[in-house]
Amino acid sequence: MAGMIGSGQAFRQQGLSALNQAADMEDRRERTNQQIDQQEDAGSMQMAGMGAGLGASIGAGTAVGGPVGAALGLAGGLLADSLL
C-alpha cells in the first residue's frame, strides 16, 4: 500500500510541476506581448510627432498656419502610422 501512496504522491508532484511550468510560460508570454504593445505605441507616437512637426514647419509662415499645419501634420502622421 505504501508503494501506491508514494507513486500517487510522485504523480501529484509531477502534475504540480507541469502546472507551474505552464504558468511561468504564460507569464513570460504576457510580458512579451506587453513589451510589443509598448513598442508599437511608441512607434505610433513618434510617427504622429513627426507629422505634427512637419505640418507646423510648413505652416509656420502665418500666425494661424503653424497650429493648423501641426494639426494637419498630426492627422497625416496618424494616418501614415495606421497604413504602415
Side-chain angles (χ1 to χ4, degrees):
M1 186 72 159
M4 292 179 78
I5 292 173
S7 295
Q9 288 175 343
F11 186 70
R12 178 177 176 259
Q13 284 301 110
Q14 288 175 347
L16 288 174
S17 177
L19 284 175
N20 284 334
Q21 286 177 345
D24 288 342
M25 289 172 58
E26 174 69 13
D27 188 47
R28 283 194 301 265
R29 187 187 66 79
E30 291 273 337
R31 284 194 309 261
T32 300
N33 285 340
Q34 287 176 350
Q35 289 173 347
I36 289 170
D37 288 344
Q38 289 171 353
Q39 290 172 352
E40 288 175 348
D41 290 345
S44 294
M45 293 303 290
Q46 183 178 9
M47 184 72 76
M50 287 173 51
L54 181 61
S57 68
I58 290 171
T62 64
V64 178
V68 172
L72 291 175
L74 175 62
L78 291 174
L79 177 61
D81 180 59
S82 68
L83 296 176
L84 300 178

